[in-house]
Amino acid sequence: MKEVKVLEFPKILDERGNLSFFENQKQIPFDIARTYWIYDVPGGEARGGHAYHSLQEVIIAISGSFDVVLNDGQEERVFTLNRSYYGLYVPKMIWRHMENFSTNSLALIVADQPYNEMDYVRNYNQFKRLKFNL
Ligand code: TYD
């Protein structure tokens, strides 16, 4: 899972409150085509459970915390996101889901493509077949 990485965004610390930011091709390693967010997740629920054929994304816990579980078909890694100045970069063809959302957590996802259901891989066995050319 060598392409997966945790990005640290700039922090402008100020007595009036802190500020962080990202820009295309700088802190975010692509041009953002779409931003969406996940909120009001009931306790115990999970989101995701799919991979993308070609989309890459960065996932940020703007508020609260949650776990992002990544699986490349061989190993699984869990990233707990709980600070708004970290972003998890997830390349294409990684199976991923999100779980353990804290109360009032807010997940922000920026992606390099508009929404396209055709880019989703929603079946784990199909994901493995595609990943390993089976
Ligand atoms: P989905 O990506 O399957 O949610 P999750 O992976 O978090 O479980 O999306 C759920 C629904 O929302 C699906 O019907 C498609 C729609 N949707 C959009 O219309 N635009 C978007 O940008 C996203 C992410 C989802």
Side-chain angles (χ1 to χ4, degrees):
M1 235 179 273
K2 56 184 185 338
E3 283 180 90
V4 170
K5 47 181 180 276
V6 177
L7 310 174
E8 184 165 359
F9 303 128
K11 288 195 285 281
I12 313 292
L13 305 179
D14 192 305
E15 288 164 3
R16 300 170 300 156
N18 303 331
L19 181 155
S20 289
F21 60 88
F22 48 68
E23 296 184 4
N24 285 342
Q25 301 291 355
K26 292 182 179 168
Q27 295 80 16
I28 300 292
F30 50 75
D31 283 336
I32 297 168
R34 176 166 54 111
T35 303
Y36 65 96
W37 49 100
I38 296 172
Y39 53 97
D40 291 348
V41 178
E45 287 292 343
R47 300 293 312 223
H50 52 70
Y52 297 104
H53 287 283
S54 62
L55 178 146
Q56 43 183 336
E57 63 186 350
V58 174
I59 302 173
I60 303 138
I62 290 290
S63 180
S65 67
F66 51 85
D67 292 338
V68 184
V69 183
L70 302 183
N71 181 317
D72 65 0
Q74 287 179 311
E75 73 168 313
E76 185 165 282
R77 288 183 66 185
V78 181
F79 294 85
T80 299
L81 299 181
N82 56 14
R83 292 279 179 256
S84 62
Y85 48 84
Y86 288 126
L88 181 65
Y89 170 73
V90 184
K92 66 179 181 179
M93 285 302 284
I94 297 281
W95 190 267
R96 53 81 148 173
H97 75 269
M98 297 152 73
E99 62 185 19
N100 289 332
F101 288 87
S102 69
T103 303
N104 290 330
S105 60
L106 173 58
L108 187 77
I109 296 101
V110 295
D112 71 338
Q113 295 178 27
Y115 173 74
N116 174 13
E117 183 60 34
M118 298 293 287
D119 194 54
Y120 281 69
V121 186
R122 292 197 183 270
N123 178 290
Y124 186 72
N125 288 330
Q126 188 201 357
F127 165 72
K128 293 258 281 194
R129 282 197 298 274
L130 288 166
K131 189 91 187 176
F132 302 111
N133 293 315
L134 298 175

